[in-house]
Amino acid sequence: MSSEQKLETLKERLRTVADIRGAAHVLGWDQSTYMPPGGAEARGRQLATLESLAHEKFIDPEVGRLLDALAPLEADLPYDSDDASLLRVARRDFEKASKVPSKFLATFSEHVAKSYGLWAEARPDNDFAKVSAALQTTLDYSRELSQFFPGFDHIADPLIDNADEGMTVAALRPLFADLRAELVPIVEKISAQGETDESVLKGHFPEAEQLAFGLKLAKAFGYDLKRGRQDKTLHPFAVNFSVNDVRITTRVKEDDVSECLSSTLHEAGHAMYEQGISQSLEGTLLANGTSSGIHESQSRLWENQVGRSRGFWEHTFPKLQKTFPDLENVALDDFYRAINKVSRSLIRTDADEVTYNLHVIIRFDLELALLEGKLAVKDLPEAWRERYRSDLGIASENDTNGVLQDVHWFAGTVGGAFQGYTLGNILSAQFYEAALSAHPSIPKEVGEGKFSTLHGWLKDNIYSHGRKFTSPELIERATGQGMTIQPYVNYLKAKYGELYNLGS
Ligand code: ZN
């Protein structure tokens, strides 16, 4: 067999894996949107079957032999070519996947489906006890998963690496500490001013109009509805069945105009990333976002840098007023202040840009403590309350708005799922700054409801590459430097300094 034939054989095998994963995504999407509760058990089994099938097909020794045989071809190809990138990423994935037994993955995945079902009942019932045994099992599995990757410095490192390759506890702890040191004084200064009035966001806003308005904005940003759609769910997400079918989900509160909007713009950011992946990568394992942090940077950029900017609302607010009569007599200034209200709140997904990362850092620290064995699952609800009291000055009496509020620990590993949010916030500002320095006209265009220059820059510099580059490589290529918190801190200080008269 020639190298070309071997490469084709490998690609065919990898396409089968990608197809099985795509099918699993459809089942997962249905599980979170339309499936009746009775379907949970069978769905868990079906997902486990598909995952273990994809895993077995991927770690087939023949895939390893083909990758070895193709190493000389890879070395001859330009580093950033599609084929060299596919071989490089496939080898990395193969080495990672080969270390975890299929049986372990199947058992874990079946457990996770059950745990998710329990959480969905425990959360509205404020019943942590209902799901605590399942969480303990998840914690045990999470530790076991790390042990398949010996040589780590911290038990969480392999879990973090799965979502944000190259990141470690040793790197993240100081980064988060620097950010926290910048954020805490800002939050204190703002909190000292008392609560911002957000009553202008309250009223009656019919569900159908909210769904349509959000989707129309997403479309204006560049979300392609011929290759996407929107449905309702409990915990919004975006999912890719292929580059040409990337779906978003959202949730609506009829008495609040902001929740559905921000959720839709956020998920559209994720979805545009995956719709923007080069068609040449479709059906390969490069047709996904490259890391959790980069993915989140793309959702936060559209949700916040654009979707909470003054220029954007100068253009969009009159349209919103026309759609919802309850906003008729609201001033743009009051609306702008309300959607950028900074407050010490209980719910991460409702948190503003300034306090958001404090919510993330609490979760990050608690999951490290769980993994290190320094915190027991039974003590988690109280530890949660304590950290909220000390970091945000408030705590939830119930667990529904406390430890049960986020799905992550109940639908995946404990560890690795939260750092990406804060990395995303940091990077959203770094990428936006780079886009603006390439195209200084972007803010003016956003103020006219035009987004194609920004969308085009993101597509060229981030979306199109899929997983070809690791996040450090992509950041360097797109911004000309490594990751830095400075643009994010500058952005927050400028915007909230003006909103809250903070001085310099
Ligand atoms: Zn997100």
Side-chain angles (χ1 to χ4, degrees):
M1 242 199 304
S2 70
S3 290
E4 284 69 26
Q5 284 168 321
K6 281 179 189 154
L7 183 59
E8 277 319 304
T9 309
L10 178 70
K11 282 182 177 174
E12 243 167 68
R13 284 182 166 256
L14 296 178
R15 201 173 300 124
T16 308
V17 175
D19 284 347
I20 296 170
R21 287 182 182 153
H25 285 171
V26 181
L27 292 188
W29 167 83
D30 173 71
Q31 184 180 45
S32 304
T33 50
Y34 295 106
M35 189 189 76
E41 204 178 325
R43 185 56 49 87
R45 202 179 55 237
Q46 291 154 356
L47 280 167
T49 300
L50 286 184
E51 266 168 54
S52 98
L53 192 62
H55 186 67
E56 276 164 30
K57 291 215 173 274
F58 186 51
I59 59 162
D60 187 322
E62 180 61 13
V63 172
R65 279 192 289 273
L66 286 165
L67 282 169
D68 286 344
L70 287 163
L73 175 71
E74 183 191 335
D76 283 345
L77 291 168
Y79 185 84
D80 59 0
S81 68
D82 287 357
D83 284 345
S85 303
L86 180 67
L87 289 167
R88 186 170 63 242
V89 173
R91 175 172 303 105
R92 221 162 53 208
D93 284 359
F94 180 80
E95 282 166 4
K96 266 190 187 172
S98 303
K99 291 182 178 166
V100 186
S102 299
K103 196 168 176 329
F104 173 84
L105 280 185
T107 313
F108 181 49
S109 148
E110 205 168 331
H111 164 72
V112 155
K114 264 189 223 148
S115 165
Y116 174 83
L118 288 170
W119 169 80
E121 292 170 15
R123 184 187 180 202
D125 290 350
N126 182 31
D127 188 0
F128 180 72
K130 186 170 216 165
V131 75
S132 65
L135 182 59
Q136 179 64 54
T137 306
T138 302
L139 179 60
D140 296 340
Y141 280 136
S142 304
R143 284 207 193 96
E144 207 179 327
L145 185 57
S146 279
Q147 298 299 344
F148 292 120
F149 304 90
F152 52 77
D153 288 330
H154 190 283
I155 184 95
D157 284 349
L159 306 171
I160 291 170
D161 193 79
N162 271 342
D164 289 287
E165 192 161 3
M167 295 289 167
T168 60
V169 172
L172 290 173
R173 268 187 171 143
L175 187 84
F176 286 1
D178 286 350
L179 183 59
R180 193 182 190 172
E182 295 278 3
L183 292 175
V184 168
I186 304 179
V187 174
E188 278 171 2
K189 277 191 211 167
I190 294 175
S191 300
Q193 301 187 13
E195 284 282 287
T196 302
D197 182 10
E198 60 173 350
S199 59
V200 298
L201 303 176
K202 307 292 176 189
H204 180 66
F205 310 98
E207 178 175 298
E209 276 82 1
Q210 287 205 51
L211 290 170
F213 196 91
L215 197 57
K216 210 169 155 188
L217 287 181
K219 200 179 157 201
F221 283 175
Y223 179 51
D224 181 357
L225 285 170
K226 289 191 205 78
R227 302 186 295 135
R229 59 173 283 126
Q230 172 175 264
D231 295 274
K232 285 197 300 164
T233 191
L234 188 63
H235 197 94
F237 62 94
V239 63
N240 151 347
F241 303 161
S242 86
V243 165
N244 297 311
D245 186 353
V246 187
R247 304 191 183 189
I248 57 174
T249 57
T250 192
R251 61 181 169 200
V252 182
K253 277 191 199 158
E254 285 205 312
D255 62 353
D256 184 316
V257 75
S258 63
E259 165 133 355
C260 174
L261 264 179
S262 58
S263 152
T264 302
L265 302 192
H266 180 98
E267 298 309 332
H270 282 304
M272 285 188 282
Y273 182 4
E274 305 218 337
Q275 284 187 335
I277 294 168
S278 166
Q279 291 289 341
S280 66
L281 304 179
E282 163 60 11
T284 76
L285 50 75
L286 300 180
N288 281 296
T290 197
S291 73
S292 154
I294 298 283
H295 230 304
E296 199 60 15
S297 75
Q298 297 313 298
S299 56
R300 301 301 261 173
L301 190 152
W302 289 102
E303 180 194 358
N304 290 333
Q305 251 82 11
V306 176
R308 283 195 169 83
S309 70
R310 197 175 159 101
F312 173 71
W313 283 107
E314 277 169 8
H315 178 80
T316 307
F317 191 58
K319 296 177 169 54
L320 193 69
Q321 285 179 305
K322 227 180 236 171
T323 311
F324 300 109
D326 279 13
L327 293 171
E328 218 167 23
N329 298 313
V330 172
L332 170 65
D333 261 345
D334 294 336
F335 177 80
Y336 175 64
R337 284 183 69 85
I339 58 166
N340 287 297
K341 174 188 169 177
V342 175
S343 79
R344 296 166 147 166
S345 69
L346 294 172
I347 308 291
R348 174 186 61 87
T349 52
D350 294 345
D352 55 82
E353 292 180 277
V354 185
T355 58
Y356 192 94
N357 299 296
L358 298 175
H359 291 263
V360 172
I361 294 168
I362 289 173
R363 288 152 177 76
F364 183 72
D365 290 346
L366 290 176
E367 66 189 13
L368 294 189
L370 285 167
L371 286 161
E372 288 164 357
K374 290 179 180 159
L375 174 65
V377 166
K378 70 172 169 52
D379 298 328
L380 180 61
E382 198 41 48
W384 183 284
R385 267 184 277 279
E386 256 168 51
R387 274 300 296 269
Y388 265 78
R389 258 177 236 126
S390 70
D391 291 24
L392 284 148
I394 50 166
S396 169
E397 287 147 35
N398 62 47
D399 293 329
T400 302
N401 293 327
V403 71
L404 291 174
Q405 71 177 264
D406 287 319
V407 70
H408 308 61
W409 291 337
F410 306 98
T413 51
V414 173
F418 283 109
Q419 76 285 331
Y421 293 113
T422 285
L423 292 173
N425 285 329
I426 294 167
L427 291 169
S428 69
Q430 192 173 342
F431 287 134
Y432 197 58
E433 191 182 83
L436 261 56
S437 99
H439 302 285
S441 62
I442 285 175
K444 186 174 168 289
E445 291 174 26
V446 166
E448 293 163 356
K450 295 177 190 152
F451 308 99
S452 58
T453 306
L454 176 58
H455 185 262
W457 187 90
L458 293 168
K459 190 172 178 188
D460 292 346
N461 289 280
I462 296 164
Y463 302 169
S464 60
H465 302 307
R467 290 183 67 207
K468 281 170 75 168
F469 307 114
T470 63
S471 71
E473 288 170 343
L474 195 66
I475 295 164
E476 188 75 44
R477 291 173 71 101
T479 73
Q481 58 176 335
M483 182 166 61
T484 157
I485 63 169
Q486 216 47 58
Y488 184 54
V489 170
N490 294 345
Y491 158 76
L492 290 179
K493 283 186 174 167
K495 177 173 172 180
Y496 292 92
E498 193 215 317
L499 265 165
Y500 287 93
N501 289 316
L502 297 182
S504 54

